[in-house]
Amino acid sequence: AFARTGNELWLERARRFEHSVGLIMLDIDDFKRVNDTFGHQQGDVVLREVGRVLREGSREIDEPARYGGEEMAVALPQTDLEGAFQFAERVRHSVEALDLPLLSGDGTLKVTASFGVASLASADHADKDALVAAADSALYEAKRAGKNRTVRANGAVRTRRGVHGVASAE
């Protein structure tokens, strides 16, 4: 999702101008159960609606994308770790508030999502892979901690690689 198209240029720009970049990774909780219980067409409705919430909550400069399966990501230029956390919490609450009609016409479906957030400091040696790894690690911590929550990548730890949340803190 973050190949060297315009998606990597924001990272280079952030380093050059010493701006923060936030990254949010989200995963729809118990998505396999939705597909198994209600079918893949219902799962597609869930993906579309969560994607819509993500896009509507994003600014024009943000880069929301489907990362794979039921995972999505948002690159947030000019956003620090706390700003990324606040954005993720707004989206998390909006996803939780969705009332998705069942395709069978027999009621509605509620879904939740878990979020991991990380941010890129203005250090020269930070890279995209470290940023993705930090956000992904925080996402899995959110899943392990009970789902339907947002976790910051190891708090606001400044590291040698310039990413908040990667091991090898100074």
Side-chain angles (χ1 to χ4, degrees):
F2 298 111
R4 173 147 178 100
T5 58
N7 292 331
E8 195 160 302
L9 296 177
W10 55 260
L11 189 56
E12 291 173 13
R13 223 174 282 124
R15 280 197 295 254
R16 185 176 327 124
F17 297 110
E18 298 184 1
H19 292 156
S20 295
V21 174
L23 180 66
I24 295 170
M25 301 285 287
L26 75 98
D27 186 82
I28 300 169
D29 297 328
D30 303 313
F31 186 72
K32 182 180 180 337
R33 183 186 56 79
V34 171
N35 279 336
D36 290 349
T37 304
F38 302 104
H40 291 278
Q41 288 180 328
Q42 187 71 57
D44 289 345
V45 169
V46 170
L47 289 170
R48 278 194 305 275
E49 287 303 302
V50 172
R52 180 187 58 75
V53 166
L54 199 57
R55 282 188 314 278
E56 287 177 358
S58 298
R59 303 167 299 178
E60 190 172 306
I61 63 171
D62 298 338
E63 295 275 347
R66 185 167 175 195
Y67 197 68
E70 67 274 12
E71 279 192 55
M72 298 178 192
V74 185
L76 302 163
Q78 301 176 16
T79 305
D80 62 10
L81 186 64
E82 188 57 30
F85 179 83
Q86 294 302 322
F87 174 93
E89 278 292 281
R90 283 191 303 274
V91 172
R92 186 179 68 77
H93 287 290
S94 294
V95 168
E96 187 177 31
L98 288 172
D99 242 346
L100 304 170
L102 290 173
L103 295 175
S104 66
D106 296 333
T108 60
L109 176 65
K110 301 292 278 178
V111 296
T112 60
S114 298
F115 294 75
V117 299
S119 71
L120 177 76
S122 58
D124 292 336
H125 302 297
D127 65 26
K128 171 187 65 134
D129 294 334
L131 183 62
V132 170
D136 200 46
S137 177
L139 168 61
Y140 284 100
E141 180 56 35
K143 291 288 197 180
R144 282 190 298 272
K147 303 177 184 174
N148 192 26
R149 66 191 67 228
T150 302
V151 171
R152 293 174 187 88
N154 293 333
V157 176
R158 177 143 179 126
T159 67
R160 287 187 201 106
R161 297 196 53 87
V163 175
H164 295 287
V166 176
S168 77
E170 296 179 317

